[in-house]
Amino acid sequence: MKRLGALVLLETLLLVLQGKKGISAGEDGFVKTNGAQFTLGGAPFYANGFNAYWLMYVAADPSPSERQKVSTLFQEARGHGLAIARTWAFNDGTQDRALQISPGLYSEQTFQALDLVVSEAKKNGIKLILSLVNNYEHYGGKKQYANWGRSQGQSISSDDDFFTNAVIKGFYKNHIKTVLTRRNTITGVDYKDEPAIMAWELMNEPRCTSDPSGRAIQEWITEMAAYLKSIDGNHLLEVGLEGFYGQSESQKQQDNPNFQVGTDFIANNQIPEIDFATVHSYPDQWLPSSDDRSQQDFLNRWLQVHIQDSQNVLRKPVLFAEFGKSLRTAPVEQRDRLFDTVYTAIYSSARAGGAAAGGMFWQLFTEGMHNFGDGYEVVLSENGSTAGIIADQSKKLNRIRRLYVELRNRARWAGGNVIRHNGIGN
């Protein structure tokens, strides 16, 4: 209650300071962590975001009108206050517009498309989370790496050998190094030195069902996180987890959907080089036979337990890095209700100085992209009710940041120590 009272005081202060220029969510500098909070420019960083996995792929299109969609998307996102974007920095194999054609062989044309994505995000004040490989075979993923291993004479029993085979791990480490040390042909800045990149993600939704004990993924994260950090000390790092509990907190497995995938939300995120936690939320996929009310009840529990564990056990920030509801199976009212549920939980935590730092819905399109659709897409110009909910959340999270900054800059009467990882002032 004390922290919330301080926020009311800050809101009053901000009204007094009306007309003064506030701070925007998009800002130069590297995002850092301080306990269970993100910081940017010395102040807590809470921000709304989105997924757009397709950005590099579309940026590599030979048609200028298609490539323009990348710029248009970032402009539309900025107009709705969105400040974080998550996208793929991989496309492995010989498929269309591949980035890594074979181990160590890269397409310069596709790399220049990724350069464009980074440049456009920077231009629009949007921070990027770049994922380095897929768990699934779309865009190559661990299946492609396993096939590369087989082609070099390795004895590969399943795609899960991605996590344990030394040769395959070498392929992946080379990809990490190649991406991190890439010099952007547009900005002239190496990726590892680029403040527009907020964080790296080791893998999109890692799963190792062949080892339900979780040891394989735990050891893989430990090795890869240390390797990445040996190259890049500027950026944050996260795993790409969906949030399932494992054997380290067996009593919490009751909060999972009814399946195990070899990951462990607590143990995986306790690895020192992992800077923040991620959670994905798809009640419609995980509980397909349940009605909307049951799915909402699950979602509420799922959100709260991960916020609490991030705050009290991990003591690291948490991003709800994917969430959504397919309009192929539900009306827009149900999707809007899901967005509101996720956003309310995040804002309640953020307003009290908590660990929930933002949410990133799946997925954002601009107009003319329906061939990419999966039912979860949001087109801001076409989905008015959802767009309004998104913009409102952006304003609320940015307002918290402005309040901190206004207090820090204009109310030193508070004793100078106005930014603390555990709340607003005392």
Side-chain angles (χ1 to χ4, degrees), residues 49-89:
F50 63 95
N51 285 270
Y53 75 89
W54 49 267
L55 285 167
M56 181 180 69
Y57 182 85
V58 170
D61 195 285
S63 167
S65 63
E66 288 298 302
R67 295 196 300 272
Q68 178 60 36
K69 290 175 180 175
V70 174
S71 303
T72 299
L73 182 95
F74 281 124
Q75 292 163 12
E76 291 175 349
R78 181 185 63 186
H80 285 72
L82 293 164
I84 307 175
R86 176 173 171 263
T87 193
W88 297 168

Side-chain angles (χ1 to χ4, degrees), residues 59 99 107-117 182 185-186:
L99 176 62
S107 164
E108 177 61 21
Q109 181 180 356
T110 304
F111 239 140
Q112 289 183 17
L114 186 57
D115 292 345
L116 176 65
V117 172
R182 166 76 176 181
T185 56
I186 300 172

Side-chain angles (χ1 to χ4, degrees), residues 129-187:
I129 296 176
L130 296 179
S131 187
L132 293 166
V133 71
N134 207 358
N135 177 71
Y136 312 106
E137 63 183 272
H138 308 293
Y139 293 81
K142 69 182 182 185
K143 184 179 185 67
Q144 180 62 73
Y145 277 84
N147 287 337
W148 284 336
R150 291 186 183 97
S151 71
Q152 295 203 9
Q154 297 296 299
S155 177
I156 306 298
S157 59
S158 79
D159 294 347
D160 283 349
D161 286 4
F162 172 88
F163 299 107
T164 57
N165 181 274
V167 171
I168 293 175
K169 288 192 292 182
F171 295 158
Y172 177 66
K173 284 181 177 179
N174 183 69
H175 180 63
I176 291 175
K177 183 177 181 179
T178 301
V179 174
L180 270 58
T181 58
R182 166 76 176 181
R183 175 153 294 183
N184 193 309
T185 56
I186 300 172
T187 66

